[in-house]
Amino acid sequence: MEVKLHDIGEGMTEAEIVSFLVKPGDVVKADTPIVEVQTDKMTAEIPSPIAGIIGEFNVKQGQTVPVGTTLLFIQNHPDSENQKERLISLPPSQHDTHQNHLKRILAAPYTRKIARENGVEIENIKGTGLSGRIIDEDVYRYLEQSKTQSINSSLFAEKQQEPSPLTNEQQDDTIPFRGRRKQIANNMMHSVQTIPHCTHFEEIDVTDLLQFKQNLKEIGRDISATAFFLKALSICLKEYPIFNARLDIEKEIIIKNKEHHFGIAIDMEEGLIVPVLRNIENKSIQSIHVEMKDLSKKAKENKLSVKDITGGTFTISNVGPLGGSFGATPIIQHPQVALVSFHKTKKMPVVADNDQIIIRSIMNLSMSFDHRVADGASAVRFTNRFAQLINDPKMLILEMV
């Protein structure tokens, strides 16, 4: 039986083979993890579809392959006694391989990721977790021991050898263009080649919201400004549902999503990842704040599930904390219709209604939308409504009653 790479996430087209968790000749049960892969969004383990004996590998570690590729072959032997008899009849080389690898390396994908990034062979590490499972602390302990040994070896070598002459020639640094980085590139190319992007820019007065946020903090309710923004956007989407939609070209229809599932772009070292916060239309600002923090924590620990990264209907990006001041032209997450990006907030002189100059906190906002589905006038109305809710937090609270 062929074990193929299947779609483990929305929009996935390929994945990198991170490691094999079994070897030819291994007897496995159904659902036993056999291959670890890395997509643009997550690290995942491919389970065995049946109980049987592992056969020949069809791909190599480090190779990036498209969905549908045969990863390896497995012989179907659902009866455990038959499995044992079959194992005995295997060629000596495969039998020996099985005996040497009978105890599978137990480690979570994130733990394996730590080992890979530090160039450590995980099978060299002794696990201290349950049933000998290798945990994060084991990897870090191994790295620390290796570092100490390396320093001692270097000191000894310095005493034994004369320093070699330096060379003026330097090699250019390279980084692999695969895995998440490559998949992000593919997704972005597909989006810009499919969607006619149009970006609208707006200035949002957040002075009163920041003061309201400070008042809440003083009574022990510390809530991020982004949580208020998300709730305000959800209210706007109820009034302008065209921006919470998707276009079905083949059926020639625009589908307006009733539920508000927001993808929240998070900057990671390996590249951007967009976990999804679901049903914002039904959540309080406090709940949005808590769930947003939990998603961010899971993303940074590489513990997002498939459900956490799929099903988004609208996307937001908050680059303000990074210092992005004026704006940008963000690329839409296909097949969504719109994306809103929040930029740096800064104090500026503003002319009030009475022609007096006052200092206000102004945040720049950019909104990219699919011009096939919506027009510029609708985008302006949408951001005007958002500005109204944020300018006066009491309006936001009233809309939630």
Side-chain angles (χ1 to χ4, degrees):
M1 179 180 183
E2 298 180 11
V3 178
K4 297 185 177 183
L5 176 64
H6 58 273
D7 187 352
I8 56 175
E10 188 177 271
M12 169 187 163
T13 59
E14 64 181 14
E16 178 186 350
I17 308 301
V18 175
S19 62
F20 291 99
L21 308 179
V22 293
K23 292 183 179 180
D26 279 1
V27 177
V28 296
K29 298 179 181 179
D31 297 326
T32 298
I34 55 177
V35 184
E36 184 183 17
V37 300
Q38 171 75 58
T39 73
D40 64 316
K41 298 177 180 177
M42 64 186 297
T43 302
E45 294 178 344
I46 303 295
S48 175
I50 59 171
I53 300 175
I54 299 298
E56 180 184 0
F57 293 170
N58 193 51
V59 294
K60 297 180 180 179
Q61 183 174 321
Q63 186 177 350
T64 298
V65 297
V67 170
T69 299
T70 298
L71 304 178
L72 55 84
F73 298 89
I74 185 170
Q75 300 176 19
N76 185 3
H77 291 281
D79 181 74
S80 59
E81 291 301 320
N82 288 341
Q83 288 181 16
K84 293 178 181 177
E85 293 174 4
R86 175 60 181 165
L87 180 60
I88 293 172
S89 66
L90 285 173
S93 60
Q94 291 191 14
H95 183 78
D96 293 342
T97 299
H98 170 74
Q99 294 297 329
N100 293 335
H101 196 68
L102 186 58
K103 184 178 180 182
R104 187 172 66 84
I105 301 298
L106 298 176
Y110 183 67
T111 305
R112 295 176 184 274
K113 178 174 179 291
I114 296 173
R116 283 198 314 276
E117 291 179 344
N118 288 278
V120 174
E121 297 289 341
I122 198 164
E123 54 265 26
N124 295 334
I125 302 174
K126 182 179 180 181
T128 61
L130 185 64
S131 301
R133 176 177 289 272
I134 299 171
I135 58 178
D136 298 355
E137 289 74 12
D138 296 330
V139 180
Y140 291 126
R141 188 182 304 110
Y142 182 88
L143 286 169
E144 188 62 32
Q145 292 172 352
S146 299
K147 181 179 179 181
T148 301
Q149 293 174 358
S150 177
I151 292 174
N152 292 336
S153 298
S154 297
L155 290 174
F156 178 78
E158 287 177 3
K159 293 179 181 179
Q160 300 296 320
Q161 300 178 1
E162 291 293 329
S164 59
L166 298 176
T167 175
N168 292 327
E169 296 183 1
Q170 295 182 349
Q171 297 291 331
D172 292 336
D173 290 335
T174 63
I175 56 175
F177 184 63
R178 58 176 184 261
R180 183 181 299 175
R181 184 74 267 161
K182 184 177 179 181
Q183 190 61 46
I184 290 173
N186 293 339
N187 292 342
M188 295 300 98
M189 284 296 295
H190 177 67
S191 180
V192 296
Q193 291 174 351
T194 304
I195 300 174
H197 283 60
C198 183
T199 304
H200 166 64
F201 299 93
E202 191 57 82
E203 292 182 336
I204 310 295
D205 189 336
V206 297
T207 310
D208 292 344
L209 175 64
L210 294 180
Q211 182 58 55
F212 181 55
K213 179 179 176 299
Q214 180 61 32
N215 294 341
L216 290 175
K217 186 176 182 180
E218 291 173 357
I219 59 174
R221 303 294 292 274
D222 191 6
I223 301 176
S224 69
T226 307
F228 288 94
F229 297 157
L230 265 60
K231 191 61 184 182
L233 286 172
S234 181
I235 292 171
C236 294
L237 288 177
K238 289 181 180 179
E239 300 176 19
Y240 300 94
I242 196 64
F243 294 110
N244 194 53
R246 66 182 187 276
L247 173 62
D248 191 322
I249 290 290
E250 293 183 359
K251 295 182 180 179
E252 297 183 331
I253 56 173
I254 298 171
I255 303 166
K256 292 189 288 187
N257 302 299
K258 293 183 179 180
E259 296 178 314
H260 299 172
H261 303 322
F262 282 14
I264 303 171
I266 297 177
D267 182 39
M268 304 282 288
E269 184 177 349
E270 302 88 350
L272 199 68
I273 192 166
V274 188
V276 177
L277 204 163
R278 299 179 182 279
N279 294 109
I280 290 183
E281 75 279 8
N282 299 328
K283 289 184 168 67
S284 67
I285 295 175
Q286 175 71 36
S287 296
I288 293 171
H289 170 75
V290 172
E291 291 189 30
M292 192 165 51
K293 287 183 63 178
D294 290 343
L295 273 178
S296 178
K297 184 174 183 292
K298 289 174 70 175
K300 292 175 180 177
E301 295 176 352
N302 201 27
K303 294 181 179 179
L304 293 171
S305 66
V306 173
K307 184 179 179 181
D308 291 329
I309 59 174
T310 57
T313 63
F314 187 90
T315 299
I316 70 104
S317 174
N318 186 8
V319 296
L322 299 177
S325 57
F326 179 73
T329 55
I331 299 175
I332 301 165
Q333 292 274 103
H334 184 271
Q336 297 173 22
V337 167
L339 180 152
V340 166
S341 184
F342 307 120
H343 301 276
K344 185 177 179 180
T345 298
K346 54 185 177 181
K347 292 185 177 181
M348 298 175 58
V350 175
V351 179
D353 293 337
N354 58 2
D355 291 339
Q356 295 295 312
I357 296 178
I358 55 177
I359 302 299
R360 306 289 287 179
S361 294
I362 305 298
M363 178 186 72
N364 288 325
L365 174 150
S366 56
M367 177 181 181
S368 290
F369 60 93
D370 187 337
H371 217 327
R372 299 172 301 175
V373 178
D375 296 322
S378 298
V380 172
R381 295 187 185 99
F382 181 91
T383 55
N384 283 348
R385 178 61 169 142
F386 176 79
Q388 183 185 40
L389 294 170
I390 297 301
N391 287 352
D392 187 355
K394 294 189 292 294
M395 294 291 293
L396 178 59
I397 301 302
L398 283 175
E399 291 294 337
M400 296 174 59
V401 176

